[in-house]
Amino acid sequence: MWGTVGPRVVHLSPLERVRLRRIAVRYAMHGWEVTPGACLARSRFVCGRAGCPTVGCHPALENWELAASTDPARVATWWHNRPHGVLLPTGRAFDVLEVPSYLGQHVLDAISDHPADRSRGPVAVTPTGRWMFLVLPGDPLRPELDHCFHVVRHGVGSWIPAPPTRLPEGPVRWALAPEQARWRLPDSYLVQKVMVDALRATGIALTADLLPGQLPLPRRGF
């Protein structure tokens, strides 16, 4: 199947390929489901599936939601021969709150000012400046953020590219690595509160005001 793919996959050194596999396996060992992503070929991605029209970053497997796994041995086999991107399905071990760079840095700075706070958790950054905050799964966006295009929630049926996946503009990286957060995930509403404060501080008007009793009490993040 791969032999019919036109563009040549970006060459990675043996060390880079081993690093990709080891990191994918490490995510799985910590209970984060992993699925292989299409391989970067020049400025597009190829998955090896005949007739696949998607040229952006996307899962390599058509049934990626069912195939995603936390089995280290299974994950290792996916990266044995191909330099796949590392994709993490959301809505399972965690949800993701995605924001633009100006907001992401502001939120991370606010969280970092209180390192013992339960709003502290892993944060990934794409080379195009999208910041991805990993949080406990299941909570919808707060009313203030529900119609705010600055914040996107990734839940069931979505995924994110995880470090060190390469995109055409460069690799995805951790701004706050899972190890730094001790692999703990913060309560979504706590992180969203910081985002609301950050948006208001930058002068962005939010359409809904939070009313008492609209949100459940924050859950323990660890």
Side-chain angles (χ1 to χ4, degrees):
M1 178 170 62
W2 281 98
T4 64
V5 174
R8 285 181 61 87
V9 171
V10 171
H11 174 74
L12 297 181
S13 70
L15 183 61
E16 289 176 303
R17 292 176 66 134
V18 168
R19 180 169 177 257
L20 264 176
R21 184 170 69 249
R22 285 180 176 173
I23 291 178
V25 168
R26 188 173 69 200
Y27 293 147
M29 291 178 67
H30 281 275
W32 292 4
E33 290 190 356
V34 178
T35 193
C39 298
L40 182 62
R42 300 190 183 96
S43 61
R44 59 169 293 184
F45 288 85
V46 293
C47 62
R49 288 186 274 129
C52 179
T54 307
V55 297
C57 184
H58 64 286
L61 305 176
E62 189 170 8
N63 64 336
W64 64 270
E65 290 187 79
L66 294 176
S69 179
T70 57
D71 179 2
R74 185 177 187 187
V75 170
T77 61
W78 283 328
W79 275 267
H80 184 70
N81 295 315
R82 304 294 301 180
H84 291 290
V86 182
L87 308 186
L88 302 178
T90 56
R92 302 182 182 192
F94 53 80
D95 284 350
V96 167
L97 302 173
E98 179 184 337
V99 299
S101 59
Y102 73 89
L103 183 59
Q105 187 64 63
H106 194 137
V107 171
L108 183 59
D109 289 345
I111 290 173
S112 298
D113 287 341
H114 305 282
D117 193 350
R118 288 190 290 115
S119 60
R120 178 181 170 88
V123 183
V125 184
T126 72
T128 57
R130 302 297 298 181
W131 288 57
M132 300 178 290
F133 291 77
L134 278 63
V135 298
L136 287 171
D139 290 325
L141 290 178
R142 294 169 57 116
E144 306 99 315
L145 302 177
D146 196 28
H147 300 290
C148 176
F149 67 88
H150 299 277
V151 180
V152 177
R153 172 179 169 260
H154 294 271
V156 175
S158 187
W159 51 266
I160 62 166
T165 298
R166 282 192 182 190
L167 302 180
E169 301 82 4
V172 182
R173 63 180 178 84
W174 288 112
L176 183 61
E179 295 84 358
Q180 292 175 282
R182 299 183 181 180
W183 294 88
R184 295 170 176 171
L185 297 168
D187 185 275
S188 177
Y189 286 139
L190 293 179
V191 177
Q192 290 184 48
K193 182 182 184 303
V194 179
M195 290 180 175
V196 169
D197 293 341
L199 284 165
R200 287 176 173 155
T202 58
I204 295 174
L206 300 176
T207 57
D209 292 323
L210 184 63
L211 300 176
Q214 280 187 288
L215 297 179
L217 293 175
R219 298 167 299 168
R220 289 192 59 82
F222 47 85

XYZ file of all heavy atoms in Angstrom, residues 20-106:
677
model
N 10.682 8.928 18.262
C 9.243 8.945 18.006
C 8.570 7.734 18.643
O 7.547 7.852 19.325
C 8.979 8.940 16.504
C 8.736 10.263 15.788
C 8.587 10.022 14.290
C 7.503 10.971 16.321
N 9.152 6.548 18.411
C 8.560 5.321 18.927
C 8.565 5.304 20.449
O 7.557 4.961 21.082
C 9.310 4.102 18.376
C 8.675 2.779 18.806
C 9.279 1.603 18.067
N 10.653 1.330 18.440
C 11.703 1.528 17.632
N 11.529 1.979 16.407
N 12.922 1.249 18.041
N 9.676 5.704 21.039
C 9.780 5.674 22.495
C 8.785 6.629 23.145
O 8.174 6.308 24.166
C 11.205 6.023 22.929
C 12.205 4.892 22.699
C 13.587 5.299 23.159
N 14.533 4.186 23.037
C 15.839 4.299 23.246
N 16.352 5.484 23.590
N 16.629 3.252 23.132
N 8.616 7.802 22.563
C 7.692 8.772 23.156
C 6.252 8.306 22.995
O 5.434 8.439 23.917
C 7.907 10.163 22.526
C 9.274 10.707 22.967
C 6.794 11.125 22.913
C 9.633 12.051 22.378
N 5.913 7.737 21.829
C 4.562 7.200 21.641
C 4.282 6.107 22.671
O 3.187 6.061 23.264
C 4.415 6.656 20.222
N 5.247 5.247 22.899
C 5.089 4.170 23.881
C 4.952 4.742 25.292
O 4.155 4.257 26.105
C 6.280 3.188 23.798
C 6.289 2.245 24.997
C 6.216 2.398 22.502
N 5.707 5.797 25.589
C 5.632 6.397 26.923
C 4.248 6.974 27.187
O 3.703 6.828 28.294
C 6.687 7.493 27.078
C 6.785 8.026 28.511
C 7.956 8.968 28.655
N 7.729 10.197 27.915
C 8.699 11.026 27.532
N 9.965 10.720 27.772
N 8.414 12.138 26.889
N 3.661 7.636 26.186
C 2.296 8.134 26.354
C 1.353 6.974 26.694
O 0.516 7.075 27.592
C 1.812 8.824 25.083
C 2.523 10.114 24.731
C 2.707 10.480 23.398
C 2.999 10.976 25.707
C 3.350 11.665 23.051
C 3.655 12.158 25.376
C 3.822 12.498 24.042
O 4.457 13.665 23.709
N 1.495 5.881 25.943
C 0.624 4.722 26.161
C 0.814 4.142 27.565
O -0.167 3.761 28.222
C 0.905 3.656 25.104
N 2.036 4.092 28.023
C 2.316 3.518 29.342
C 1.717 4.359 30.466
O 1.476 3.854 31.561
C 3.823 3.367 29.541
C 4.452 2.299 28.654
S 6.252 2.166 28.854
C 6.345 1.552 30.541
N 1.460 5.624 30.186
C 0.837 6.489 31.189
C -0.675 6.555 31.013
O -1.335 7.416 31.603
C 1.451 7.887 31.127
C 2.781 7.982 31.819
N 2.906 8.205 33.179
C 4.043 7.855 31.342
C 4.177 8.223 33.503
N 4.892 8.016 32.416
N -1.225 5.660 30.190
C -2.667 5.563 30.063
C -3.287 6.497 29.047
O -4.511 6.644 29.022
N -2.462 7.123 28.193
C -2.972 7.988 27.138
C -3.062 7.175 25.849
O -2.041 6.686 25.349
C -2.058 9.184 26.911
C -2.029 10.167 28.048
C -2.665 10.055 29.242
C -1.304 11.395 28.073
N -2.388 11.153 30.024
C -1.569 11.995 29.340
C -0.468 12.046 27.172
C -1.015 13.221 29.709
C 0.083 13.275 27.542
C -0.198 13.845 28.796
N -4.267 7.016 25.320
C -4.415 6.268 24.077
C -3.694 6.984 22.936
O -3.715 8.208 22.841
C -5.892 6.084 23.740
C -6.595 5.128 24.682
C -7.984 4.772 24.202
O -8.428 5.320 23.173
O -8.631 3.940 24.861
N -3.075 6.190 22.083
C -2.254 6.707 20.983
C -2.752 6.110 19.678
O -3.176 4.947 19.633
C -0.763 6.327 21.197
C 0.091 6.807 20.034
C -0.256 6.899 22.520
N -2.710 6.898 18.618
C -3.002 6.379 17.283
C -1.998 6.983 16.306
O -1.575 8.132 16.484
C -4.460 6.706 16.867
O -4.805 5.937 15.707
C -4.654 8.175 16.570
N -1.546 6.222 15.301
C -0.532 6.755 14.382
C -1.116 7.797 13.441
O -2.241 7.673 12.953
C -0.063 5.514 13.615
C -1.238 4.585 13.668
C -1.882 4.815 15.001
N -0.332 8.834 13.186
C -0.733 9.870 12.247
C -0.096 9.656 10.889
O 0.896 8.928 10.751
N -0.675 10.285 9.877
C -0.076 10.235 8.543
C 1.345 10.800 8.594
O 1.683 11.600 9.466
C -0.940 11.036 7.563
N 2.171 10.360 7.654
C 3.569 10.777 7.626
C 3.735 12.056 6.805
O 3.089 12.240 5.773
C 4.435 9.675 7.018
S 4.418 8.133 7.959
N 4.603 12.928 7.268
C 4.880 14.169 6.555
C 5.700 13.876 5.312
O 6.721 13.192 5.359
C 5.633 15.135 7.473
C 5.964 16.504 6.895
C 4.694 17.270 6.530
C 6.802 17.311 7.900
N 5.224 14.392 4.177
C 5.926 14.244 2.895
C 5.974 15.620 2.248
O 4.992 16.104 1.701
C 5.198 13.247 2.000
N 7.121 16.265 2.357
C 7.278 17.660 1.938
C 6.303 18.536 2.733
O 6.443 18.663 3.934
C 7.103 17.794 0.431
C 8.114 16.978 -0.384
C 8.054 17.350 -1.867
N 8.982 16.510 -2.630
C 8.609 15.411 -3.261
N 7.337 15.018 -3.244
N 9.502 14.680 -3.924
N 5.313 19.130 2.086
C 4.404 20.024 2.795
C 3.019 19.420 2.982
O 2.075 20.117 3.336
C 4.282 21.343 2.032
O 3.758 21.115 0.732
N 2.885 18.116 2.766
C 1.600 17.457 2.937
C 1.793 16.164 3.717
O 2.934 15.773 4.021
C 0.967 17.143 1.573
C 1.823 16.231 0.681
C 1.054 15.731 -0.527
N -0.018 14.822 -0.124
C -0.802 14.185 -0.988
N -0.664 14.395 -2.294
N -1.732 13.358 -0.564
N 0.680 15.524 4.052
C 0.751 14.277 4.805
C 0.168 13.139 3.981
O -0.825 13.326 3.269
C -0.030 14.403 6.119
C 0.631 15.279 7.136
C 0.439 16.652 7.108
C 1.457 14.740 8.110
C 1.046 17.475 8.040
C 2.069 15.560 9.049
C 1.862 16.928 9.014
N 0.797 11.978 4.075
C 0.324 10.794 3.364
C 0.107 9.673 4.375
O 0.918 9.456 5.271
C 1.318 10.337 2.274
C 1.388 11.363 1.151
C 2.709 10.110 2.851
N -1.029 8.983 4.232
C -1.361 7.925 5.180
C -1.251 6.534 4.556
O -1.310 5.532 5.269
C -2.765 8.140 5.731
S -4.079 8.070 4.485
N -1.123 6.459 3.228
C -1.018 5.163 2.578
C -2.346 4.568 2.176
O -2.383 3.507 1.551
N -3.458 5.240 2.519
C -4.770 4.733 2.128
C -5.109 5.226 0.726
O -5.055 6.430 0.463
C -5.846 5.181 3.123
C -5.758 4.470 4.445
C -6.922 4.829 5.356
N -6.656 6.051 6.109
C -7.480 7.079 6.183
N -8.613 7.065 5.507
N -7.183 8.128 6.899
N -5.418 4.320 -0.169
C -5.686 4.670 -1.556
C -6.836 5.670 -1.656
O -7.902 5.468 -1.073
C -6.025 3.418 -2.362
N -6.581 6.755 -2.377
C -7.622 7.734 -2.624
C -7.899 8.685 -1.486
O -8.842 9.480 -1.577
N -7.111 8.663 -0.420
C -7.350 9.572 0.709
C -7.114 11.011 0.248
O -6.021 11.344 -0.211
C -6.440 9.245 1.887
S -6.684 10.363 3.301
N -8.122 11.894 0.354
C -7.982 13.254 -0.149
C -7.364 14.229 0.848
O -7.081 15.375 0.499
C -9.434 13.653 -0.441
C -10.213 12.932 0.619
C -9.483 11.619 0.847
N -7.153 13.789 2.082
C -6.683 14.703 3.132
C -5.184 14.920 3.017
O -4.414 13.961 3.000
C -7.015 14.132 4.525
O -8.411 13.822 4.589
C -6.668 15.136 5.612
N -4.772 16.179 2.940
C -3.346 16.496 2.817
C -2.803 17.102 4.107
O -1.590 17.212 4.275
C -3.084 17.460 1.642
C -3.478 16.812 0.324
C -3.819 18.783 1.832
N -3.684 17.507 5.028
C -3.235 18.012 6.316
C -2.977 16.878 7.281
O -3.191 15.698 6.977
N -2.510 17.219 8.468
C -2.263 16.210 9.499
C -3.559 15.463 9.797
O -4.603 16.078 10.044
C -1.728 16.898 10.748
S -1.258 15.767 12.076
N -3.506 14.136 9.778
C -4.698 13.329 10.010
C -4.290 11.918 10.423
O -3.139 11.509 10.227
C -5.591 13.282 8.770
C -4.974 12.615 7.575
N -3.989 13.207 6.811
C -5.200 11.390 7.006
C -3.641 12.392 5.817
N -4.348 11.282 5.930
N -5.212 11.137 10.991
C -4.873 9.768 11.395
C -4.500 8.899 10.196
O -5.075 9.033 9.113
C -6.162 9.267 12.066
C -6.860 10.501 12.513
C -6.562 11.518 11.458
N -3.564 8.001 10.405
C -3.146 7.093 9.336
C -4.133 5.950 9.162
O -4.185 5.347 8.088
C -1.755 6.536 9.643
N -4.904 5.652 10.198
C -5.841 4.541 10.149
C -7.265 5.063 9.988
O -7.672 6.009 10.683
C -5.752 3.700 11.429
C -4.361 3.161 11.783
C -4.414 2.431 13.113
C -3.834 2.255 10.690
N -8.015 4.445 9.092
C -9.389 4.878 8.880
C -10.238 4.665 10.128
O -11.122 5.471 10.447
C -10.000 4.133 7.691
C -11.343 4.667 7.253
C -11.807 4.065 5.940
O -11.149 3.119 5.448
O -12.819 4.545 5.405
N -9.973 3.589 10.862
C -10.726 3.270 12.085
C -9.945 3.697 13.328
O -9.893 2.973 14.322
C -11.050 1.787 12.154
C -9.784 0.934 12.259
O -8.700 1.370 11.851
N -9.907 -0.269 12.800
N -9.332 4.875 13.276
C -8.400 5.306 14.317
C -9.041 5.348 15.706
O -8.369 5.056 16.698
C -7.825 6.680 13.974
C -8.830 7.790 13.932
C -9.548 8.201 12.861
C -9.216 8.628 15.027
N -10.369 9.240 13.199
C -10.181 9.537 14.526
C -8.836 8.718 16.367
C -10.785 10.514 15.320
C -9.434 9.692 17.167
C -10.396 10.573 16.639
N -10.337 5.676 15.787
C -10.976 5.756 17.107
C -11.023 4.391 17.784
O -10.838 4.278 18.996
C -12.375 6.336 16.980
C -12.395 7.822 16.621
C -13.783 8.398 16.668
O -14.260 8.691 17.783
O -14.390 8.560 15.595
N -11.290 3.350 16.992
C -11.330 2.003 17.554
C -9.931 1.430 17.748
O -9.696 0.647 18.668
C -12.145 1.084 16.634
C -13.633 1.395 16.504
C -14.281 0.460 15.481
C -14.331 1.273 17.855
N -9.003 1.818 16.877
C -7.657 1.242 16.916
C -6.773 1.865 17.987
O -5.794 1.253 18.419
C -6.991 1.388 15.547
N -7.078 3.093 18.405
C -6.239 3.782 19.398
C -6.012 2.880 20.608
O -6.922 2.192 21.069
C -6.895 5.087 19.810
N -4.786 2.900 21.128
C -4.427 1.902 22.131
C -3.495 2.462 23.193
O -2.732 3.403 22.951
C -3.743 0.712 21.443
O -3.351 -0.271 22.379
N -3.576 1.839 24.377
C -2.597 2.097 25.434
C -1.663 0.900 25.613
O -0.895 0.860 26.570
C -3.306 2.387 26.774
O -4.148 1.270 27.109
C -4.140 3.656 26.705
N -1.726 -0.057 24.696
C -0.863 -1.237 24.761
C 0.511 -0.869 24.204
O 0.652 -0.621 22.997
C -1.484 -2.361 23.935
C -0.636 -3.625 23.931
O 0.419 -3.652 24.608
O -0.996 -4.583 23.230
N 1.543 -0.799 25.039
C 2.864 -0.383 24.571
C 3.386 -1.214 23.403
O 4.003 -0.667 22.482
C 3.756 -0.540 25.809
C 2.813 -0.429 26.964
C 1.537 -1.067 26.493
N 3.141 -2.544 23.427
C 3.639 -3.404 22.352
C 2.952 -3.069 21.029
O 3.601 -2.989 19.978
C 3.420 -4.876 22.710
N 1.655 -2.864 21.087
C 0.931 -2.531 19.857
C 1.362 -1.174 19.321
O 1.558 -0.995 18.117
C -0.574 -2.535 20.125
C -1.398 -2.305 18.859
C -2.884 -2.375 19.138
N -3.649 -2.316 17.902
C -4.965 -2.220 17.840
N -5.673 -2.160 18.966
N -5.584 -2.170 16.690
N 1.508 -0.213 20.217
C 1.940 1.121 19.794
C 3.327 1.063 19.164
O 3.590 1.693 18.135
C 1.915 2.085 21.001
C 2.583 3.410 20.643
C 0.480 2.327 21.455
N 4.232 0.293 19.755
C 5.591 0.195 19.232
C 5.612 -0.346 17.811
O 6.418 0.092 16.982
C 6.443 -0.673 20.147
N 4.709 -1.286 17.491
C 4.709 -1.860 16.142
C 4.338 -0.817 15.086
O 4.822 -0.873 13.961
C 3.729 -3.048 16.048
O 2.397 -2.596 16.330
C 4.106 -4.136 17.018
N 3.473 0.128 15.428
C 3.078 1.162 14.459
C 4.270 2.012 14.031
O 4.341 2.464 12.899
C 1.999 2.054 15.056
C 0.625 1.441 15.083
C 0.109 0.560 14.184
C -0.405 1.669 16.054
N -1.180 0.221 14.522
C -1.531 0.885 15.663
C -0.502 2.451 17.202
C -2.711 0.876 16.389
C -1.685 2.445 17.926
C -2.776 1.670 17.517
N 5.191 2.229 14.966
C 6.331 3.100 14.665
C 7.593 2.304 14.301
O 8.662 2.877 14.177
C 6.620 4.026 15.850
C 5.771 5.246 15.802
C 6.086 6.451 15.231
C 4.439 5.398 16.318
N 5.039 7.332 15.368
C 4.016 6.716 16.031
C 3.565 4.547 16.992
C 2.756 7.195 16.402
C 2.320 5.017 17.355
C 1.929 6.326 17.062
N 7.445 1.001 14.115
C 8.626 0.186 13.817
C 9.184 0.486 12.431
O 10.407 0.543 12.246
C 8.276 -1.306 13.932
C 9.455 -2.204 13.737
N 10.480 -2.291 14.671
C 9.797 -3.044 12.718
C 11.391 -3.140 14.228
N 11.001 -3.616 13.056
N 8.304 0.694 11.456
C 8.769 0.872 10.076
C 8.460 2.241 9.478
O 9.037 2.591 8.443
C 8.149 -0.205 9.170
C 8.613 -1.595 9.529
O 9.792 -1.825 9.757
N 7.671 -2.540 9.597
N 7.558 2.982 10.069
C 7.138 4.250 9.479
C 7.272 5.389 10.482
O 6.970 5.215 11.671
C 5.673 4.181 9.014
C 5.366 3.064 8.044
C 6.076 3.240 6.714
N 5.729 4.482 6.047
C 6.222 4.853 4.867
N 7.085 4.085 4.234
N 5.859 5.987 4.328
N 7.713 6.580 10.041
C 7.839 7.736 10.950
C 6.500 8.457 11.119
O 6.345 9.624 10.740
C 8.873 8.606 10.240
C 8.640 8.343 8.777
C 8.253 6.881 8.698
N 5.526 7.759 11.672
C 4.201 8.330 11.850
C 4.233 9.546 12.773
O 5.074 9.639 13.672
C 3.254 7.298 12.473
C 2.914 6.159 11.584
N 2.107 6.299 10.470
C 3.258 4.850 11.632
C 1.967 5.124 9.879
N 2.656 4.229 10.560
N 3.272 10.454 12.578
C 3.010 11.447 13.599
C 2.388 10.748 14.799
O 1.836 9.649 14.682
N 2.489 11.384 15.959
C 1.922 10.825 17.178
C 0.641 11.593 17.494
O 0.688 12.785 17.816
C 2.896 10.925 18.370
C 2.292 10.292 19.615
C 4.226 10.252 18.027
N -0.496 10.935 17.367
C -1.783 11.571 17.630
C -2.391 10.999 18.905
O -2.319 9.795 19.146
C -2.744 11.356 16.452
C -2.243 11.739 15.059
C -3.368 11.606 14.036
C -1.670 13.150 15.045
N -2.985 11.878 19.702
C -3.629 11.478 20.950
C -5.122 11.773 20.848
O -5.519 12.941 20.738
C -3.030 12.250 22.132
C -1.523 12.117 22.351
C -1.089 12.991 23.529
C -1.128 10.666 22.585
N -5.977 10.735 20.843
C -7.427 10.967 20.836
C -7.859 11.717 22.093
O -7.346 11.459 23.188
C -8.016 9.557 20.804
C -6.920 8.689 20.254
C -5.645 9.299 20.772
N -8.803 12.625 21.942
C -9.313 13.383 23.085
C -10.681 12.843 23.497
O -11.284 12.041 22.800
C -9.412 14.874 22.744
O -10.234 15.033 21.567
C -8.039 15.460 22.472
N -11.134 13.301 24.664
C -12.407 12.822 25.181
C -12.296 11.492 25.896
O -13.315 10.882 26.241
N -11.090 11.026 26.095
C -10.864 9.739 26.770
C -10.082 9.977 28.064
O -10.670 10.204 29.107
C -10.145 8.783 25.826
C -10.946 8.575 24.528
C -10.296 7.605 23.578
N -11.064 7.493 22.346
C -10.873 6.560 21.430
N -9.925 5.647 21.599
N -11.613 6.530 20.335
N -8.757 9.946 27.987
C -7.965 10.251 29.184
C -8.033 11.739 29.511
O -7.861 12.128 30.671
C -6.519 9.820 28.981
N -8.260 12.550 28.492
C -8.282 14.001 28.696
C -9.059 14.682 27.570
O -9.250 14.118 26.496
C -6.860 14.566 28.752
C -6.012 14.179 27.570
C -6.121 14.850 26.352
C -5.114 13.126 27.657
C -5.356 14.480 25.255
C -4.339 12.750 26.560
C -4.459 13.430 25.359
N -9.520 15.899 27.834
C -9.978 16.825 26.810
C -8.861 17.828 26.576
O -7.882 17.886 27.336
C -11.233 17.580 27.262
C -12.490 16.719 27.204
O -12.438 15.608 26.635
O -13.526 17.167 27.736
N -9.012 18.629 25.533
C -8.023 19.666 25.235
C -8.737 20.987 24.984
O -9.737 21.033 24.264
C -7.164 19.276 24.007
C -6.362 20.479 23.506
C -6.217 18.145 24.370
N -8.212 22.043 25.576
C -8.681 23.402 25.324
C -7.625 24.090 24.470
O -6.489 24.284 24.913
C -8.887 24.153 26.641
C -9.865 23.497 27.626
C -9.862 24.249 28.959
C -11.270 23.450 27.045
N -7.985 24.417 23.239
C -7.032 24.991 22.272
C -7.283 26.481 22.125
O -8.416 26.929 21.922
C -7.185 24.297 20.923
C -6.251 24.831 19.856
C -6.494 24.194 18.498
O -7.052 23.078 18.459
O -6.140 24.827 17.483
N -6.199 27.269 22.208
C -6.306 28.726 22.125
C -5.154 29.267 21.282
O -4.141 28.594 21.087
C -6.267 29.373 23.528
C -7.431 28.893 24.385
C -4.947 29.082 24.227
N -5.260 30.507 20.770
C -4.158 31.122 20.018
C -2.998 31.496 20.931
O -3.135 31.538 22.160
C -4.799 32.354 19.384
C -5.975 32.664 20.250
C -6.463 31.348 20.769
N -1.860 31.799 20.331
C -0.622 31.989 21.087
C -0.698 33.120 22.108
O -0.217 32.971 23.230
C 0.546 32.225 20.126
O 0.301 33.353 19.316
N -1.277 34.270 21.738
C -1.293 35.390 22.672
C -2.066 35.042 23.938
O -1.715 35.475 25.042
C -1.889 36.641 22.011
C -3.383 36.577 21.803
C -4.267 37.009 22.795
C -3.927 36.038 20.635
C -5.636 36.927 22.613
C -5.289 35.958 20.457
C -6.143 36.404 21.438
O -7.495 36.304 21.265
N -3.102 34.247 23.789
C -3.896 33.842 24.941
C -3.214 32.698 25.686
O -3.196 32.670 26.923
C -5.290 33.421 24.487
C -6.276 33.022 25.591
C -6.485 34.167 26.569
C -7.605 32.591 24.976
N -2.619 31.772 24.954
C -1.974 30.628 25.577
C -0.849 31.024 26.513
O -0.747 30.513 27.638
N 0.007 31.952 26.059
C 1.116 32.381 26.910
C 0.605 33.092 28.156
O 1.123 32.899 29.262
C 2.047 33.300 26.130
C 3.318 33.669 26.878
C 4.201 32.468 27.159
O 4.695 31.814 26.248
N 4.399 32.156 28.440
N -0.425 33.897 27.979
C -1.021 34.623 29.105
C -1.571 33.637 30.140
O -1.360 33.799 31.345
C -2.145 35.524 28.581
C -2.604 36.560 29.573
N -2.854 37.860 29.231
C -2.871 36.477 30.905
C -3.253 38.529 30.297
N -3.272 37.710 31.326
